[in-house]
Amino acid sequence: MTLVVKDLNVAYGDTQVLWDINISVAKGEVIALVGSNGAGKTTLLRTISGLNRPKSGQISINGQDLTQATPAQRVRLGVAHVPEGRQLFAGLGVRENILIGAYLRTAGQEVRRDLDFMFETFPEVAARRNQQAGTLSGGEQQMVALARGLMSRPQVLLIDELSLGLAPVVVEKLFNLIRNVQKELGIGVLVVEQDVEMAFEMADRGYILDTGMIVKEGRGEELLGDDAIRKAYLGI
Amino acid sequence: MLQQLVNALLLGGIYALVGVGFSLIYGVMNIINLAHGALIMLAAYTTFWVFQLYGVDPFASIVISMALFFVIGFILQKYIVNRVVGQNVLMTMVLTYGFELIAVNFALYFWHADYRAVNPTYAGTGLEIGDVVVPYIKLGILTVAIVLTSLLYLFMTRTKIGNAIQATSLNKDAAQLVGIDIQYIYSFTYGLSAALAAAAGTLIAIVYTVTPSMEGGFLGKAFVIAILGGLGNSLGAIVGGVVLALAETFGVVVFGAAYQQIVGYVIFLLVLIVRPCGLVGRRFFSEL
């Protein structure tokens, strides 16, 4: 298992938002994390990448404990987080935004090769490499955010709300891109998604988070076929 | 008239340096650094004493001062200011105001309220072009100011750490997610700002008198310059510096010497009312 989260509890002050979370992401796996607004999905990702501190529990990558590590140390050990709403450096250029994803890497040649790979993978973005990132469309910004995350050569890529504010066609395209890149690089992906149907279709496995607890987990098609889930999340 | 314009441009160089460091700290940490004037004052004294005791030319000692103040600023941020970054504005203002009080009283205690001046041998000589006289000293100051602000621009846009400083100023969460240690960036930024304040203090020591109470005036000017350029937009501060220098210089011509300070502050108020993002507000930067 690449990323393992064990018995994780997270609270904002006195308000506990995550209860005994247990999830794992293996190398080469795409995992979907689904749940309604306020279920704690974003908090979970922020805790894995170190922006939030847990109350108790353990986070590890390849057997190495991350629970006390700073966000920068986690990036170094292979966690990349594409945050909700992209969070690009709007005033910097597209190229700078992608390149800064490799902030902790020192091998200049390899970084430049990876940058070329990103431009091949996301040709729309390549055409706008010298523009300010804030001037791009939502889909293009999401591509820049994904490329920025991949530039750290992660073992696990966390993606928060891939589809936020994007047309379904764009989301589908992004999902396919992620699938291809993920296979090519052999990394694990944990994606938080509102579009439950698409998420479970694309994912190998999935978790359902409800008011801070994992209420269901299973293989993608299994979850899609589950009547209770179809009722609760797909309105069928 | 032409002479006034030349004077204003020469003064603008110093003002740009005064404002750039102040604006930089606000842009990256959202801290109004009330100790900025005190740093300028301490650097001016450093220049004075190094000149007085060891005869080192101010244009040479500027490098030493900048290095020294970079270290002081870095340590100050790392061990003290970092504890309150992100707290409310009042907290950081009280802390930096505390630095200022300590620095001013330190200077008063050890060096007294005397006015002191640095007088290199070449003071008073100048270049005459037609009717316009350009003192060599002021020409040197303007050159230093242009070189330093250009270097800052190159540093911010071309180096990895410069990009990291910009990234931190634009989005702190995202900066951490790409592996930037923002505490380190804060310390580095304060060091950079202190080094720029040191450069300004050194240049000021060459043309003005040095006294513990000089800090108040320059803190006020730093504020005006930074707002004129767009608070947090450190390169806009260069424009702010030149604008303030022009306003002060021509304010004296039109309204008389008594109104020199007022003109600057009136323009400052007008800009705040009409164009609160500054004269050269940059998109995506310093959006309040």
Side-chain angles (χ1 to χ4, degrees):
Chain A
M1 283 296 166
T2 306
L3 176 77
V4 178
V5 174
K6 226 178 126 200
D7 302 327
L8 193 75
N9 286 284
V10 182
Y12 292 115
D14 289 335
T15 317
Q16 184 149 356
V17 289
L18 290 178
W19 309 78
D20 296 320
I21 302 292
N22 285 289
I23 63 168
S24 62
V25 184
K27 201 169 153 47
E29 242 188 345
V30 175
I31 307 291
L33 180 67
V34 160
S36 52
N37 281 334
K41 303 177 302 261
T42 296
T43 303
L44 178 55
L45 292 201
R46 287 177 61 93
T47 311
I48 295 172
S49 60
L51 292 178
N52 289 7
R53 294 266 146 192
K55 216 171 97 180
S56 65
Q58 223 184 19
I59 302 161
S60 62
I61 189 160
N62 296 325
Q64 195 155 5
D65 186 42
L66 290 181
T67 320
Q68 299 304 323
T70 65
Q73 286 167 328
R74 295 176 200 222
V75 174
R76 211 182 283 277
L77 288 170
V79 180
H81 181 169
V82 179
E84 187 177 7
R86 285 57 100 171
Q87 310 290 345
L88 295 184
F89 304 111
L92 296 185
V94 168
R95 191 175 169 278
E96 282 71 34
N97 264 280
I98 297 176
L99 212 47
I100 208 164
Y103 180 71
L104 292 175
R105 294 173 57 190
T106 43
Q109 285 244 308
E110 275 179 31
V111 169
R112 233 158 295 140
R113 219 175 305 133
D114 283 1
L115 183 67
D116 290 339
F117 172 77
M118 296 308 157
F119 284 146
E120 277 163 37
T121 312
F122 306 108
E124 292 94 328
V125 163
R128 302 181 183 281
R129 68 183 83 185
N130 294 320
Q131 270 174 243
Q132 273 192 321
T135 61
L136 264 53
S137 74
E140 290 163 348
Q141 289 199 17
Q142 191 63 278
M143 289 177 196
V144 175
L146 287 168
R148 182 179 68 184
L150 289 167
M151 281 301 281
S152 67
R153 288 245 175 133
Q155 315 254 342
V156 177
L157 185 67
L158 315 172
I159 307 171
D160 199 352
E161 298 283 9
L162 183 75
S163 63
L164 192 78
L166 302 181
V169 220
V170 180
V171 180
E172 197 164 337
K173 186 173 162 193
L174 284 173
F175 252 123
N176 289 327
L177 274 172
I178 290 168
R179 262 285 176 200
N180 294 339
V181 172
Q182 172 262 342
K183 245 180 246 149
E184 194 163 339
L185 304 177
I187 60 176
V189 173
L190 176 62
V191 57
V192 159
E193 196 35 74
Q194 295 274 13
D195 188 337
V196 177
E197 193 162 6
M198 181 158 358
F200 287 152
E201 264 170 28
M202 291 292 182
D204 299 306
R205 287 189 300 124
Y207 294 92
I208 296 179
L209 192 65
D210 191 12
T211 55
M213 277 174 266
I214 300 281
V215 293
K216 201 139 221 165
E217 61 175 287
R219 303 195 328 113
E221 55 263 40
E222 243 169 64
L223 293 170
L224 256 183
D226 188 303
D227 280 344
I229 293 169
R230 296 184 74 84
K231 267 208 189 85
Y233 295 98
L234 300 173
I236 304 168
Chain B
M1 205 62 172
L2 202 57
Q3 179 72 51
Q4 305 289 352
L5 189 67
V6 170
N7 288 348
L9 288 177
L10 294 173
L11 181 63
I14 290 188
Y15 280 3
L17 279 182
V18 168
V20 157
F22 181 82
S23 202
L24 184 65
I25 286 195
Y26 183 82
V28 176
M29 296 181 257
N30 288 339
I31 285 179
I32 307 232
N33 181 26
L34 294 182
H36 200 70
L39 289 169
I40 291 174
M41 181 268 293
L42 289 177
Y45 268 105
T46 306
T47 306
F48 171 79
W49 286 116
V50 167
F51 178 76
Q52 191 79 4
L53 299 176
Y54 307 107
V56 183
D57 189 274
F59 284 107
S61 72
I62 192 166
V63 185
I64 310 164
S65 299
M66 286 182 74
L68 176 70
F69 277 79
F70 178 87
V71 174
I72 293 173
F74 191 96
I75 291 172
L76 215 58
Q77 177 74 33
K78 181 164 189 220
Y79 293 103
I80 304 175
V81 189
N82 265 346
R83 294 166 187 273
V84 298
V85 174
Q87 309 252 10
N88 64 50
V89 180
L90 201 63
M91 188 71 131
T92 53
M93 278 178 132
V94 167
L95 180 69
T96 52
Y97 185 57
F99 287 158
E100 196 228 44
L101 287 179
I102 293 169
V104 171
N105 285 287
F106 176 89
L108 273 173
Y109 183 81
F110 286 102
W111 306 320
H112 312 294
D114 301 345
Y115 284 77
R116 303 172 194 262
V118 177
N119 282 310
T121 47
Y122 45 84
T125 56
L127 199 64
E128 281 178 48
I129 310 163
D131 293 339
V132 181
V133 182
V134 184
Y136 286 130
I137 274 195
K138 292 200 172 174
L139 205 56
I141 287 172
L142 185 66
T143 311
V144 170
I146 291 172
V147 167
L148 286 178
T149 45
S150 313
L151 283 178
L152 179 71
Y153 177 76
L154 289 176
F155 176 77
M156 295 297 268
T157 51
R158 301 284 163 83
T159 67
K160 199 165 177 176
I161 187 148
N163 268 319
I165 291 175
Q166 288 201 65
T168 305
S169 118
L170 286 161
N171 192 326
K172 284 169 192 48
D173 273 359
Q176 294 186 73
L177 290 180
V178 297
I180 294 171
D181 176 353
I182 62 172
Q183 304 280 328
Y184 173 77
I185 293 296
Y186 289 164
S187 305
F188 197 96
T189 303
Y190 203 107
L192 208 56
S193 170
L196 290 163
T202 302
L203 300 184
I204 288 164
I206 303 173
V207 274
Y208 298 110
T209 49
V210 181
T211 164
S213 61
M214 67 192 275
E215 46 71 44
F218 283 106
L219 175 62
K221 285 194 203 301
F223 217 130
V224 173
I225 294 160
I227 297 276
L228 287 177
L231 196 53
N233 177 358
S234 45
L235 299 166
I238 297 166
V239 177
V242 174
V243 169
L244 180 65
L246 284 170
E248 282 188 2
T249 309
F250 287 97
V252 171
V253 176
V254 179
F255 303 107
Y259 293 94
Q260 188 195 4
Q261 305 285 336
I262 296 291
V263 173
Y265 285 107
V266 167
I267 291 186
F268 164 72
L269 279 178
L270 285 177
V271 166
L272 271 186
I273 294 165
V274 180
R275 227 182 120 74
C277 61
L279 296 173
V280 283
R282 243 167 114 196
R283 256 192 104 188
F284 308 121
F285 281 86
S286 66
E287 284 172 358
L288 297 174

